[in-house]
Amino acid sequence: MSAANPNPGFADEGMYLFNELPTQLLKERHQFTPTAQWAKSLQLSSVRFNSGGSGSFVSSNGLVLTNHHVASDTLQKLSTPDRNLVDNGYLASDPGQELKAPDLELNVLIEMIDVTQRVQAAVTQHGDAEAAAKQRQASIATIEKESTDETGLRSDVVTLFGGAQYHLYRYKKYTDVRLVWAPETKAAFFGGDADNFEYPRYNLDATIFRVYENDQPAQLEHFLKWSDVPLKEDDLIFVSGHPGRTQRIFTVEALEYLRDVRLPFILDYLRRKEVLLQQYRLESNEAARRGRDELFGIQNGRKAYTGMLAGLQDPQTIASKRGRQNRLKSAALASPELAPLVVAFDQIAEIQTEKAAHLKESVSLRSDLFSFALSIVLMTQEDLKPNAERYPEYTESARESMLTRLTSPAPLYDDLQRVKLADEIALLMERRGGDDELVREVLAGRSPQEVAAELVAQTKIGDPAVREELIAGGYNAVLGSNDPMVQLARKIEPVFRSVRQTTDQLDEREKQAYAQISRIITAAEGTSGYPDATFTLRLAFGTVKGYRENGQPVEPTTDLAGAFTHSAEHEGQEDFDLPQSWLDAKESLDLTTQLNFVSTADIIGGNSGSPVVDRKGNLVGLIFDGNIQSLTSDYLYSDSQSRAVSVSGVGIKEAIRKIYQAPSLADQLGR
């Protein structure tokens, strides 16, 4: 069993690989056995958003369901000063009005192949972390290129169980993705930050796209049928999505590093950016629109990381992890074969100390214009190397996805770019010191604000045609460019590579150590289980279930009537104002229609937009959040109060049909 699941009898924990489903566990606990056809159809109906979320095909003519907050990046890019799709929503009354996303890529997992032996056999210099990392990456790049050349599919080798396994994932890509329907923010994020990660909820956090092939709606064999039956307590449900990352294999020392160093560091950064964007958005209504989506993401992240840190600061969390770790060590020391592997725990502890010292060395200036410039500088240099020696994101198998990002026609706003870049340069100065050689070279006697203003005013890198020309011209074009943003990227690039080299070495040493720890866990606890999340497709399961909070019962479902009541109870608070479309439609609605529900399914960030299905594989809901008690799920799952929060399928269809008056769209769902 993996470190992620120390007790197979504990609750409904698990984010399972589709090629290693917990069939025996489901049969014993829920009297359900997924057939191969059931699993394959669900797999091929599930999609991953490159913007950082999940979704599903919900019609034979290409409709894709996800969250409004997953779609918000695209909604923002499609908006203009005169057309605010984030706040006001959108409905395409006919296919000709469906809006093409500028840089959205959807991935559908076609096949998984275990390539562990091949990757591990390629690594012969285990004592030299830098050499081992290069050997491992060369093997992975070769496997990915061979797969892409053979199949034409996006091919990614994924590290599992801390480096104990490697699987090749093959994806079909859709890059012609068009917006069909989105509700208003007031409906999708009803309750605002006050209700975020709370329950009960009354949110319509849903959006529908359509995928196209050859300029026509894609004709799909695999899609989810739509259930018109509301859920009830104890119903068995399944979540098929792409959880981002968990750290359940982490040792006690790794969790202490998160608690004492990394999470406080991240929270300081997020709070800084939150204040920066709040101030920017006060400048005008247009500034408020431009900064809205990014601020939402930062605030959401800040609240999530605050919950994670609070969980780690609970002494019982570390005590529980330490107890298990001590048991694993004792079991290993009792075995002559496993005893030499115990040193891996000490190695992990040593690496955490080095990571803490390395944490502030980042030179990535997180602004769009600079990120484009640095990526182009790196890409054109990496292109000069053999494919097997390149950074993973610049290999031939990853190239199309990288080009989609780098050539995006999405609008960039000079005022927002200036604010972001000036703050990043100021932060670079704060972390490295004013006398640092790189800082002095970047500033050249100017303030961070002056540098940012000059760069944004003079650069042409915001033009996608300029970016395409630089990429096509290769490294010679980069060397010959007098664009100041490209020149800044060239100054920073050597330091970036040096920092990256240290990071890669630490990662390689951790992989080797966790691979040894995985061997101990397998010997001590068995071989069933699941690896930590990797933003790849997983299956979770659970039941619709309420819980108790502050001594009071929390019911597992809410309805449309509750949304109107909740709004009335918070009259005068803008975040609780329902949109006018809801008020206008109230008399025509069936107010008993289920709107949200909670379940014990094991989810994490990245699961947003995941379909929730029943025993038949029919769609019954849409994951959009977890409650505040679930925020420890990065490293520890519990079902006592932790819950996944979903929009009910029946609520989505009722809203589309009656509030948004789109019966033809509602009729397409599940067909």
Side-chain angles (χ1 to χ4, degrees), residues 88-281:
N88 300 329
Y90 185 75
L91 175 65
S93 57
D94 59 65
Q97 292 188 341
E98 294 176 2
L99 304 178
K100 187 171 182 179
D103 52 12
L104 190 56
E105 178 183 306
L106 304 188
N107 300 144
V108 179
L109 180 60
I110 303 299
E111 186 178 18
M112 295 156 281
I113 302 171
D114 191 332
V115 293
T116 304
Q117 290 185 347
R118 184 173 174 185
V119 173
Q120 291 181 341
V123 181
T124 59
Q125 301 185 51
H126 295 282
D128 184 336
E130 183 176 357
K134 288 181 177 178
Q135 289 179 325
R136 191 184 310 277
Q137 178 50 35
S139 175
I140 288 172
T142 300
I143 293 169
E144 290 175 342
K145 184 179 186 306
E146 289 175 356
S147 175
T148 300
D149 290 346
E150 176 188 345
T151 65
L153 300 173
R154 171 172 176 161
S155 299
D156 301 334
V157 172
V158 179
T159 303
L160 301 169
F161 296 104
Q165 290 183 22
Y166 296 87
H167 288 187
L168 171 65
Y169 281 57
R170 289 172 169 166
Y171 297 96
K172 178 174 177 143
K173 295 191 299 185
Y174 291 90
T175 54
D176 187 350
V177 186
R178 307 187 191 184
L179 176 65
V180 178
W181 165 77
E184 310 90 336
T185 290
K186 285 186 175 182
F189 196 47
F190 177 63
D193 192 52
D195 270 8
N196 196 16
F197 298 114
E198 300 294 341
Y199 195 79
R201 296 289 288 277
Y202 307 90
N203 291 51
L204 188 66
D205 194 350
T207 292
I208 293 176
F209 291 96
R210 195 190 307 274
V211 291
Y212 278 67
E213 292 185 291
N214 302 316
D215 208 35
Q216 296 295 321
Q219 299 303 302
L220 304 174
E221 178 183 356
H222 296 281
F223 61 93
L224 299 178
K225 295 184 177 174
W226 200 285
S227 173
D228 290 323
V229 180
L231 290 164
K232 59 184 186 300
E233 185 144 21
D234 296 326
D235 278 353
L236 176 64
I237 54 89
F238 300 87
V239 177
S240 176
H242 302 80
R245 193 178 78 160
T246 54
Q247 294 102 17
R248 296 178 188 176
I249 195 174
F250 275 19
T251 65
V252 169
E253 292 75 16
L255 292 178
E256 289 174 335
Y257 163 72
L258 285 179
R259 180 194 66 192
D260 300 336
V261 181
R262 182 162 180 79
L263 291 187
F265 179 82
I266 292 172
L267 279 168
D268 283 346
Y269 180 81
L270 291 174
R271 293 183 190 114
R272 177 189 184 115
K273 295 303 176 184
E274 184 174 4
V275 172
L276 181 79
L277 282 167
Q278 285 173 334
Q279 290 299 116
Y280 165 76
R281 294 185 76 229

Side-chain angles (χ1 to χ4, degrees), residues 43 45 65 104 116 119 159 164 173 188 193 200 222-223 248 302 312 361 377 390 416 445 465 492 529 537 627 637 654:
Q43 173 188 319
S45 299
L65 177 70
L104 190 56
T116 304
V119 173
T159 303
K173 295 191 299 185
D193 192 52
H222 296 281
F223 61 93
R248 296 178 188 176
R302 182 256 305 156
L312 284 174
E361 294 182 5
V377 170
R390 298 175 191 169
L416 180 55
I492 287 180
L537 189 63
N627 63 357
Y637 172 86
E654 176 79 357

